[in-house]
C-alpha cells in the first residue's frame, strides 16, 4: 500500500469541489480512460478582476489523482488567472505534504488541466483538451512526447528512468522506450548537448505557463533589482496575448514617472530579453 500523508487521505476520502460548473468560464481536460487517468477542471472567473471565484473537478483515477485534483481547486480559488498559471506540479504535491514518487504524475495531470482551463478562459470559454505538442512520441503506450519528458526532467530535476516514469508515465507500459528515455536524460543532464530544435521555443510557441515563467524570470533578474534601489518594485498582474500588465508597487506606485518606467524601462527590457512583440500596460 502507498505511504500517503494524512492530507492526501483527507482529500481522497473527503474531496472538495467535486462536480462541474454549468456556466464555466474555462474548462480544461487532460488524460483519457484508456491510459487510466482523466481529469476535467472547470473554473468561474470574475471578468472584471480576473480572479477565479470557483473551481470544480471531475476525475477518474487513484487516490493521488483525486487528492491532487481536490487540493488544486482550493489552491486556485481567490487567485487571479496570472497567479494560478504559476502553479506547478511540485506546488500541488507540496500542498499535499508529499506524494509517493510513483504517483507524481497525478500532480502533473493537475497542472496540465489547469493550463488547459486557463487557455479555455483566454479563448472565450470553449473547452480545451490538453494535448501533447506535435513532437516525437517516445512512449507510445501512454502517448508521451520527447518535449514532455524534457520539460519534466528540467522542472523536477529528474535523474533516472524510474523518475521519468513516476512523473510522466513514460516507460510504464511495455518498457521498450526506456533506452530512449535514458538518452534524453543524458542529454538534459549534461552528457551531451540537446539539439536546439528540441529545446528552444519562440515566445509564440510557449504555453501560457511557460510565457508567464519567462516574464517572471526577467522581472526578477533584470527589473526588480533596479526598482528596489529606489524603494519600488513591480509584479506581473496579467498576460493577455502579447500585452503584459504590470502593477507597480512601493515608491513606484505613486511616482510621477510611472509611465516612463513602464515603457522606457520595463517594456524595453521585456522586448530585449523575451520577445520584441511584447507591450506593457499598467494594471
Amino acid at each position: 500500500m502507498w505511504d500517503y500523508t494524512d492530507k492526501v487521505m483527507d482529500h481522497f476520502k473527503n474531496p472538495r469541489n467535486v462536480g462541474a460548473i454549468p456556466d464555466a468560464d474555462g474548462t480544461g481536460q487532460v488524460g483519457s480512460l484508456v491510459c487510466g487517468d482523466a481529469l476535467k477542471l472547470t473554473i468561474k472567473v470574475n471578468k472584471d478582476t480576473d480572479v477565479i471565484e470557483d473551481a470544480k473537478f471531475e476525475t477518474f483515477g487513484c487516490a493521488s489523482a483525486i487528492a491532487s485534483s481536490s487540493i488544486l481547486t482550493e489552491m486556485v480559488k481567490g487567485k487571479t488567472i496570472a497567479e494560478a498559471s504559476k502553479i506547478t506540479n511540485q506546488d500541488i504535491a507540496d500542498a499535499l505534504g508529499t506524494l509517493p514518487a510513483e504517483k507524481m504524475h497525478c500532480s502533473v495531470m493537475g497542472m496540465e488541466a489547469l493550463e488547459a482551463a486557463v487557455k479555455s478562459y483566454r479563448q472565450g470559454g470553449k473547452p480545451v483538451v490538453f494535448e501533447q505538442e506535435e513532437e516525437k512520441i517516445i512512449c507510445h503506450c501512454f502517448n508521451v512526447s520527447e518535449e514532455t519528458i524534457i520539460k519534466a526532467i528540467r522542472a523536477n530535476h529528474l535523474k533516472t528512468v524510474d523518475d521519468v516514469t513516476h512523473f510522466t508515465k513514460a516507460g510504464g507500459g511495455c518498457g521498450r522506450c526506456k533506452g530512449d528515455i535514458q538518452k534524453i536524460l543524458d542529454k538534459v543532464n549534461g552528457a551531451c548537448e540537446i539539439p536546439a530544435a528540441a529545446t528552444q521555443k519562440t515566445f509564440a510557441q510557449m504555453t501560457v505557463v511557460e510565457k508567464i515563467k519567462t516574464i517572471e524570470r526577467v522581472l526578477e533578474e533584470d527589473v526588480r533589482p533596479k526598482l528596489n534601489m529606489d524603494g519600488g518594485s513591480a509584479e506581473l498582474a496579467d498576460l493577455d496575448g502579447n500585452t503584459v500588465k504590470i502593477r507597480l508597487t512601493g515608491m513606484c506606485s505613486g511616482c510621477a514617472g510611472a509611465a516612463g518606467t513602464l515603457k522606457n524601462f520595463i517594456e524595453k527590457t521585456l522586448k530585449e530579453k523575451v520577445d520584441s512583440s511584447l507591450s506593457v500596460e499598467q494594471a
Side-chain angles (χ1 to χ4, degrees), residues 6-108:
D6 291 341
K7 201 159 189 178
V8 170
M9 292 305 298
D10 178 33
H11 277 271
F12 167 52
K13 294 179 178 179
N14 307 289
R16 284 65 150 172
N17 309 305
V18 178
I21 299 173
D23 55 345
D25 296 309
T27 301
Q29 301 176 64
V30 64
S32 70
L33 298 182
V34 175
C35 293
D37 292 305
L39 169 61
K40 178 181 178 182
L41 177 70
T42 51
I43 57 175
K44 187 68 177 175
V45 184
N46 184 318
K47 293 182 176 62
D48 293 328
T49 62
D50 256 5
V51 171
I52 298 173
E53 297 182 334
D54 195 13
K56 293 185 180 296
F57 80 94
E58 296 174 303
T59 191
F60 178 85
C62 62
S64 296
I66 294 170
S68 295
S69 304
S70 173
I71 203 160
L72 175 62
T73 59
E74 291 194 325
M75 293 171 70
V76 301
K77 283 186 180 182
K79 285 185 169 60
T80 64
I81 287 292
E83 291 168 342
S85 296
K86 301 173 189 176
I87 294 174
T88 67
N89 69 283
Q90 191 60 57
D91 293 331
I92 296 171
D94 289 345
L96 289 169
T98 187
L99 281 173
E102 295 85 354
K103 294 295 182 178
M104 282 300 292
H105 66 269
C106 295
S107 64
V108 174

Side-chain angles (χ1 to χ4, degrees), residues 60 113 120 135 166 256:
F60 178 85
S120 169
E135 301 279 348
H166 297 158

Side-chain angles (χ1 to χ4, degrees), residues 94-141:
D94 289 345
L96 289 169
T98 187
L99 281 173
E102 295 85 354
K103 294 295 182 178
M104 282 300 292
H105 66 269
C106 295
S107 64
V108 174
M109 188 170 70
M111 180 182 69
E112 292 172 343
L114 176 58
E115 183 177 322
V118 168
K119 185 176 181 180
S120 169
Y121 171 67
R122 294 292 190 199
Q123 295 179 352
K126 183 178 179 181
V128 170
V129 177
F130 184 92
E131 296 179 335
Q132 305 285 356
E133 297 180 10
E134 293 186 5
E135 301 279 348
K136 178 182 177 182
I137 298 299
I138 299 298
C139 177
H140 291 275
C141 293

Side-chain angles (χ1 to χ4, degrees), residues 111-242:
M111 180 182 69
E112 292 172 343
L114 176 58
E115 183 177 322
V118 168
K119 185 176 181 180
S120 169
Y121 171 67
R122 294 292 190 199
Q123 295 179 352
K126 183 178 179 181
V128 170
V129 177
F130 184 92
E131 296 179 335
Q132 305 285 356
E133 297 180 10
E134 293 186 5
E135 301 279 348
K136 178 182 177 182
I137 298 299
I138 299 298
C139 177
H140 291 275
C141 293
F142 294 106
N143 194 38
V144 184
S145 72
E146 180 177 21
E147 179 66 17
T148 294
I149 293 172
I150 289 173
K151 286 165 64 177
I153 292 170
R154 286 180 167 169
N156 299 285
H157 310 293
L158 309 184
K159 301 298 182 184
T160 69
V161 173
D162 284 344
D163 289 341
V164 173
T165 302
H166 297 158
F167 277 76
T168 70
K169 286 194 171 183
C174 69
R176 283 181 289 184
C177 61
K178 289 187 175 182
D180 291 330
I181 294 172
Q182 185 61 58
K183 290 178 182 178
I184 296 172
L185 278 161
D186 292 341
K187 291 177 182 179
V188 175
N189 291 328
C192 56
E193 291 185 4
I194 305 171
T199 62
Q200 295 180 357
K201 287 184 179 181
T202 64
F203 187 74
Q205 292 172 329
M206 294 179 185
T207 65
V208 174
V209 173
E210 289 171 334
K211 289 178 179 179
I212 289 174
K213 287 183 177 179
T214 300
I215 292 171
E216 275 288 357
R217 177 177 53 78
V218 174
L219 291 176
E220 183 64 28
E221 295 177 0
D222 300 286
V223 173
R224 292 192 185 107
K226 294 183 179 179
L227 297 181
N228 291 162
M229 294 174 65
D230 294 319
S233 191
E235 59 184 36
L236 177 61
D238 194 9
L239 176 63
D240 186 3
N242 287 345

